[in-house]
């Protein structure tokens, strides 16, 4: 079993839909949780950064962390075709800048 | 802020040649940089951790004599693929630790094709 599980998709939604992306993990020591967006043939771009449990909102994006369930989510409201990309969750146990454990990524397609 | 660049973005070379990839943090200093490799439709695979002024730490299975890493300054790390072979063809991505979140910020990647 992988340390971080993420549905590879592809997830196809119509423009304007609310998107829910999720990761589950097994290491209870993880404290720092990040979501990266990666467009094809580009490097990952940091979208959201969360420490411990709770919610964080930034524009159309909301990150949720439930440490008791070892489950994190990224919600995208009013999805746009430009949101079409692969979304990678990443987490770390002691410091967000240290070694990250990545999920396999979910490919999202938003259709106009 | 927290911009990381990589050069070159794409390189095609003949088998047996060496290729150097540069990773720079443009607006912050990074004591730690990371090098990843990514195959199509797969997640990132950490190759090594590069600390300024010291030897890099390589992940299990990564040949340190083949993938030479130098972190000579707080804004520059280089990865040299020595005697490249077709199986080394891949997408190489660096990241630098820093920025407001003190997390990893990634470069745009370098696509290497070895003929």
């Amino acid at each position: 079993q992988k340390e971080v599980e993420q549905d590879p998709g592809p997830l196809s939604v119509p423009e304007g839909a609310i998107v829910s992306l999720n990761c589950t993990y097994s290491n209870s020591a993880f404290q720092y949780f990040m979501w990266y967006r990666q467009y094809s043939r580009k490097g990952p771009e940091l979208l959201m950064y969360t420490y411990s449990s709770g919610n964080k909102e930034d524009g159309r994006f909301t990150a949720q962390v439930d440490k008791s369930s070892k489950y994190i989510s990224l919600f995208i409201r009013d999805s746009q075709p430009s949101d079409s990309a692969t979304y990678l969750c990443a987490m770390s146990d002691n410091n967000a800048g240290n070694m990250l454990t990545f999920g396999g990524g979910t490919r999202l397609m938003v259709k106009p | 802020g927290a911009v990381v660049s990589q050069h070159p973005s794409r390189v095609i070379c003949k088998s047996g040649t060496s290729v150097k990839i540069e990773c720079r943090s443009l607006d912050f200093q990074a004591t730690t940089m990371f090098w990843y490799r990514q195959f199509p439709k797969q997640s990132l695979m950490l190759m090594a951790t590069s600390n300024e002024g010291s030897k890099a730490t390589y992940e299990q299975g990564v040949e340190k004599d083949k993938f030479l890493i130098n972190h000579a300054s707080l804004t520059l790390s280089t990865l040299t693929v020595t005697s490249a072979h077709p199986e080394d063809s891949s997408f190489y991505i660096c990241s630098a630790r820093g920025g407001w979140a003190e997390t990893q910020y990634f470069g745009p990647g370098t696509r290497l094709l070895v003929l």
Side-chain angles (χ1 to χ4, degrees):
Chain A
Q1 183 184 5
K2 293 181 181 178
E3 209 168 3
V4 179
E5 296 277 0
Q6 187 175 6
D7 188 329
L11 176 63
S12 182
V13 301
E15 183 176 355
I18 297 174
V19 175
S20 173
L21 304 167
N22 311 294
C23 288
T24 58
Y25 61 95
S26 57
N27 188 347
S28 58
F30 287 142
Q31 298 185 69
Y32 297 87
F33 304 91
M34 283 133 289
W35 285 94
Y36 289 88
R37 176 176 63 194
Q38 186 177 23
Y39 291 112
S40 181
R41 299 173 181 261
K42 299 291 184 182
E45 171 194 9
L46 180 65
L47 274 182
M48 300 291 283
Y49 162 80
T50 309
Y51 170 71
S52 194
S53 286
N55 296 356
K56 186 172 185 178
E57 186 174 324
D58 185 0
R60 295 185 296 112
F61 300 91
T62 300
Q64 286 186 353
V65 174
D66 182 349
K67 290 189 68 179
S68 62
S69 301
K70 299 190 183 68
Y71 188 88
I72 69 170
S73 300
L74 177 70
F75 296 96
I76 306 174
R77 290 183 298 279
D78 188 25
S79 56
Q80 303 295 310
S82 58
D83 295 327
S84 299
T86 296
Y87 290 79
L88 298 158
C89 65
M91 41 200 83
S92 175
D93 57 2
N94 55 357
N95 184 295
N98 283 350
M99 189 177 299
L100 297 177
T101 301
F102 286 90
T106 298
R107 187 177 162 213
L108 171 67
M109 294 186 296
V110 181
K111 296 185 176 180
Chain B
V3 179
V4 177
S5 70
Q6 268 182 257
H7 178 81
S9 59
R10 185 178 179 183
V11 58
I12 302 173
C13 68
K14 293 182 179 180
S15 184
T17 60
S18 292
V19 175
K20 180 186 281 190
I21 303 170
E22 291 187 351
C23 177
R24 293 180 185 272
S25 56
L26 298 184
D27 52 0
F28 66 100
Q29 293 184 330
T31 55
T32 305
M33 290 185 174
F34 303 84
W35 287 94
Y36 295 83
R37 187 172 179 176
Q38 188 175 37
F39 292 103
K41 297 186 179 181
Q42 293 189 23
S43 191
L44 302 166
M45 183 186 79
L46 180 65
M47 298 175 66
T49 302
S50 166
N51 291 296
E52 187 265 337
S54 63
K55 292 183 178 180
T57 302
Y58 291 81
E59 294 301 300
Q60 191 173 9
V62 178
E63 298 177 60
K64 61 181 180 181
D65 295 329
K66 181 162 186 66
F67 298 99
L68 299 178
I69 291 172
N70 184 280
H71 193 157
S73 77
L74 289 173
T75 59
L76 173 64
S77 177
T78 60
L79 168 68
T80 301
V81 184
T82 62
S83 187
H85 288 92
E87 58 265 29
D88 299 322
S89 299
S90 191
F91 192 49
Y92 292 88
I93 310 174
C94 73
S95 71
R97 173 186 171 179
W100 67 270
E102 274 295 317
T103 185
Q104 292 186 35
Y105 293 89
F106 287 84
T110 296
R111 190 161 300 279
L112 171 63
L113 177 61
V114 185
L115 302 176

